[in-house]
Amino acid sequence: AKADLQRLHQDLRRLNEAEAGEHGWIGRRGAGFARGDGRPVRFWGVNAGGEIVGLDHASLDALARRLAKAGVNLVRSLDGLWVKGHPETVDPVKLDHLFYFISALKKQGSYFHVSCWWPLFLEASDAMGLEGYDAAKNKYPFALLFFNPRLQELHRGWLRTLLTSRNPYTGLTLARDPALALLELQNEDGLFFWTFSKANIPPPQWRLLETRYGAWLVKRYGSIEKARLDWIEAREADDSPAEGRMALYEAWRLTRDGLKSAGPGLRKRVSDQVRFLAELQRGGYADLVRYVRKDLGARSLIIASNWVTADAAQLDALEQWTYGAGDVLDRHGYFGGKHEGDGADYSVRPGHTFENRAAVKHPEELPLQFTQVDRMPQLISEIGWVNPNLYRSDMPFLTAAYGSLQGLDGLEVFALGGAAWDTSMGKFGLSSPVIMGSFPACALMYRRGDVAEAGDAVFQALNPEELFALRGSTTFAAQALDELRKKDLPGGGAIAGEVRSLDPLVFYAGRVVRSFDPQAASRQ
């Protein structure tokens, strides 16, 4: 028995199924994940970008075995699948690489999580049918997935090819392969973040959305003029009721800071816009879920997205409400010290300056604070203590311990830099002794449930109508953005108004849970 225990600690491959999906599809069991045979499962995972997926077959086989040995049972791939410059065409070479990687992981009992859309992957142009981007300073099509028919067509085409093409290495399509545990519809984008602005969305696209808004107002009020009566003094120069188009405010106006001096008419107008955007976002995800399930026949669990908002207390709960169209709640989070120099948001280079920071001294800033939604599995699909920082070795242990305490159902560390140990320092170094070196112990602790899950420290029943009315939520967690996406925050994105938040240490005592059923019974 002692020898068996020693072998178990040295090689955690035996924690995985003989083959991922051998018992059927990953599903939901209460607020957690379950295998096809109903057995509860937690996921200890990693991220692998296109440079990893594109490795040769022997390297992918070795990597899949190495990951399983370290306790990994889920791998997330985030990469655009199209031919560069031709988004209407899925690159057959990329798809073949992806299919082989999935087959290699499957043989080692590791499930797959695929994400193929992030606006930062695509520089839009008029020639693509995305009008206005040739003249725009920003070329990334933020927000367009929710209202632009051309981008929606492209996105559905990627999903169709991805899910219905036969994998030559398994003989199955991904729609029929239970090794595909999670399908992610969109990475890091939404209608309530700072990128919802005229600087990021060119005039033809902004007008297209304003026309959608005008039609929504007619449906809600009977006419645009009736809506304007409710808004009293709130008139904008860009309003064009004769064209059926009404001006939309940028993200700042939707924040508490943006509404500090607003009169009742402006508050009502902003409230209507918030409702419109929330319904548009949730409806967009719901349409995609129907397409994936009904038209493509896929059975994997679906993640809508994983993003934050311009004002956590005012808007984060609404963002989570829109994710209810999918199956799994997801978020991202990073921790590190100040890091400055050219390209410091994504790289580590000679001449950069940095600050060492120990996570245990800054618990209020860690991505281990997450507000969950009642009866939804909770995933953190990107988490990392970024380089350079001498104090990174506590990341796997803290994540395993406090993730277990809060009932986290899965995590995926960002990100693999190669098939073997890192030989240079990257911004998001994972394959180093201080991180992956402690995976076996921490993955075992987490997957086995050695740290007992605590009860609810906070349970809040929210009425979506109150959220649409801009009354906000008192429970929210630190956003913990990486440096790349912090650049999208205007002037740091600080909110100057009243901060209605919990003591951040409550997340280290138990679960913080919200329900969008106003009748949900409060729990102690």
Side-chain angles (χ1 to χ4, degrees), residues 397-442:
F397 175 75
L398 291 177
T399 302
Y402 286 107
S404 295
L405 182 85
Q406 296 180 69
L408 179 68
D409 302 297
L411 61 98
E412 293 161 300
V413 184
F414 197 90
L416 289 170
W421 294 105
D422 291 340
T423 56
S424 61
M425 181 180 288
K427 180 72 175 182
F428 305 101
L430 157 59
S431 297
S432 65
V434 297
I435 302 295
M436 187 172 270
S438 62
F439 264 30
C442 297

Side-chain angles (χ1 to χ4, degrees), residues 308 331-332 363-367 369-370 476-481 504 507:
V308 296
R331 67 161 293 163
H332 292 169
E364 72 285 354
E365 298 179 29
L366 301 185
Q369 307 168 62
F370 42 91
F476 68 92
Q479 293 183 328
L481 301 179
F507 294 93

Side-chain angles (χ1 to χ4, degrees), residues 78-110:
L78 172 63
D79 192 22
L81 296 177
W82 52 89
V83 175
K84 187 174 181 179
H86 299 278
E88 70 283 353
T89 304
V90 170
D91 187 331
V93 175
K94 282 188 175 183
L95 193 62
D96 186 75
H97 285 313
L98 185 69
F99 282 161
Y100 188 83
F101 191 33
I102 291 171
S103 72
L105 292 167
K106 181 175 181 175
K107 291 174 185 175
Q108 298 299 333
S110 294

Side-chain angles (χ1 to χ4, degrees), residues 172-253:
L172 300 171
T173 66
L174 290 189
R176 299 299 184 195
D177 190 345
L180 180 65
L182 299 167
L183 173 68
E184 183 180 312
L185 300 178
Q186 173 164 244
N187 180 62
E188 292 190 348
D189 195 24
L191 298 175
F192 295 111
F193 189 57
W194 295 108
T195 47
F196 186 75
S197 69
K198 293 179 180 179
N200 288 293
I201 303 172
Q205 304 302 328
W206 195 266
R207 288 194 296 270
L208 178 63
L209 185 55
E210 288 180 334
T211 301
R212 288 282 297 269
Y213 185 38
W216 182 88
L217 290 170
V218 170
K219 185 176 180 180
R220 180 165 177 78
Y221 284 94
S223 71
I224 288 177
E225 287 306 319
K226 288 181 180 178
R228 298 183 88 195
L229 288 174
D230 253 21
W231 296 346
I232 314 171
E233 80 287 355
R235 300 286 188 271
E236 299 298 332
D238 290 341
D239 287 345
S240 184
E243 298 177 7
R245 179 173 59 80
M246 293 297 286
L248 287 164
Y249 297 117
E250 297 177 309
W252 176 81
R253 178 59 79 184

Side-chain angles (χ1 to χ4, degrees), residues 42 68 79 86 94 104 123 131 186-187 207 227 294-295 305-307 315 384 390 414 454 488 523:
R42 279 180 174 172
D79 192 22
H86 299 278
K94 282 188 175 183
E123 290 197 2
E131 185 184 358
Q186 173 164 244
N187 180 62
R207 288 194 296 270
K294 184 177 179 181
D295 294 359
S305 190
N306 38 42
W307 205 210
L315 301 169
L390 291 178
F414 197 90
D488 292 322
R523 301 195 295 228

